[in-house]
Each structure stands twice: as C-alpha cells, then as structure tokens.
Amino acid sequence: MQALVLEQKGKLALREIDLPLDVGPGDVKIEIDTVGVCGSDVHYYTHGAIGPYVLREPMVLGHEAAGIVVEVGADVKDLKVGDRVCMEPGIPNLSSRASKLGLYNVDPDVRFWATPPIHGVLAPYTVHPAAFTYKLPDNVSFEEGAMVEPFAIGMQAATRARIQPGDVAAVIGAGPIGIMVALAALAGGCARVFISDLSADKLKIAGQYPGIIPVNIREQPFAEVISEQTSGWGADVVFEASGSPRAYEGMFDLVRPGGAFVLVGLPVEPVKFDVASAISKEVRIETVFRYANIFDRALELIASGKVDLKPLITGTFDFKQSIEAFERAAAGHASDVKLQIKLKG
C-alpha cells in the first residue's frame, strides 16, 4: 500500500511499500483517518536521527493517529468493527522489568511507531494491539483523537510534577508540547500557568486559554515576570518544553525554593547544568520520556470538554499532500502549532 516514506535524511516519498497487516488474536486492524505531524517526525526528516535512534533504512513516518477498526482478532472483546479509535503508538514488552514496574515507556524493548527501525502509520491501514487501542467517545473527533498522543506527554509532565491545587506553574516554550503541558498543568490543579516564547503568534494561541498567561521574552525576561507575579518567591513548578540549550541558562531563577523542575524538551546537544543553584534551593528535578498508563486519562479529559485541543490544529493536508505538510512543518512557521494529515476524505 502507499505510505509516506522517509527514504533518507531530507528525502521523502509517497510510494508503495509492503507493510505487515496480519491480525493476531489480540490485535485490531485499523483504517487510518488522521495523523498528526510531530516534531520528532520532522526531526528525523531534517536530521536523520534523534539521539541514539538513527535512520539507517527507509521508514514510514507518523505516530499521532486515529481511525476506524475494520477487523478484530479472535481474543478481542472490548472493540468491534466500526469503532472509532486512537492508538497509543508504543508497544512494550509486557514481561520486561520496566513494564512490571509500570514504566513501560522506558522499556528498552518498546516498539514505538516511526522510531527507527519501526514503521509509523502514515499509510491507509495498520495493525495494533487492542490493549493499546482506545475507543473514541462520540463527541471526540478523529482530529482530536490524533491529538491524544501529544497531550499524553503533557499529562505525563503534569503527573511527574506532583501538582498541588493552586500551584503556579511556568512553561518554557509555547510549541505544541509546551501548550499541551500548560493545559495539562491547569487540568491538574494549577491556578495560573505562565508560558514563554519568542513567537508572538504561538503566544497568542496559548493565551486564548483562560489561566494561561503568555510572556514574550523578547520584551521581558521570563524570570523577571515570574518574580513580579509571585512576589519574588518563584513558580511552584517549572516545565522546560522548548528543548533549547539556552533555556538552561538561569533556569533555577524561575523556581521557588523546594519547587520542582520538569524536563520535557529534548536538547540536541549536551547542556550546562547549574548544580549549585539546584542544590541551594533543593529543587526536585523530574524528567519525561513519552508517557505510561496515561493515554486513557488524556482521552477522558478531552472528552469531558475540560481540555479543548481543537484551536491548536492550525493546518490540515490531504494524504497526497503529505510531503508538502512535512516541508511546511520543517519551515517552522510561527503561526503553526499542530499540522495534521487526513488519509480519508
């Protein structure tokens, strides 16, 4: 079947490729409807690697997806043909030590869509374990269903932060994940979430949500704003969601004594880390790698109406325009948050 294939760094093709579609007893076959363009997909396109994950052979892209069940395995009880679903893109080894600890997101054996050498799902069909496939409520669209995956990262970050009701949070970076983190922090109990960026367009999108206060760091340093707004105390929790090495300069000026710093963004190079400042405030440092045991809760929040992700979808492309979608994503237009590709008309 035809798929969007990353042939090598910087080279995409819409072409025929043979992908496995055998349905096991615990699997479902899904006709793909919508796929989001993720920053990691774009990074493989532009750089050919993310850390230790290196593109060595052609790979189908795409891991933020929703679709319709068209076939179910013999042992599947909770899903049926015709169900609208979204899919958690990582398939762990459930017998691994990491999985037994509930940390299947860091299972070394996890098979994650569009992570070399595992193919993604920018293709008409895929087969996936029913255990990691979630039925969409009637009021959740395919487009929102494809947003559950990035929102789950925000949920993982908010969970790792151990937010207390009424906390003040600060988010560095107003890209797709930064805004998802901010929304998850609000849903988790934060009273206010300040979010910083250089892009006025992205800050305008983030600022439309009640409780999120945008800060343009071209106009005023983020630490200065946080200090002014917290009477010099600092934010209870700070999320680094930009992945920029520059974000680590003076990062502990943002957080209160005894607060938490959650690292979400993934720098492409080593960064300088001010250990003395972290220790002097006894800051708790948490890290986020994908998510675990959270996909269903992310979907519940979206379905409840407490989190509206629709304003973040800033561009939609037909499947035949997939290469164009990736070229636009790689260009990094300031007004873009989340681009999506529709495989069905």
Side-chain angles (χ1 to χ4, degrees), residues 8-22:
Q8 60 189 48
K9 172 185 171 182
K11 183 181 179 182
L12 290 167
L14 264 176
R15 66 168 174 87
E16 293 293 320
I17 186 171
D18 186 21
L19 298 174
L21 291 176
D22 294 333

Side-chain angles (χ1 to χ4, degrees), residues 142-161:
F142 286 118
E143 293 78 12
E144 292 171 289
M147 294 283 274
V148 175
E149 197 279 338
F151 184 56
I153 297 172
M155 291 279 288
Q156 180 83 355
T159 302
R160 296 303 296 265

Side-chain angles (χ1 to χ4, degrees), residues 264-295:
V264 187
L266 191 62
V268 296
E269 58 192 58
V271 299
K272 291 184 178 180
F273 194 82
D274 188 351
V275 176
S277 292
I279 288 176
S280 66
K281 284 188 172 181
E282 206 167 85
V283 174
R284 175 170 53 86
I285 298 168
E286 299 280 355
T287 58
V288 170
F289 185 67
R290 298 172 181 158
Y291 35 76
N293 303 303
I294 215 158
F295 222 78

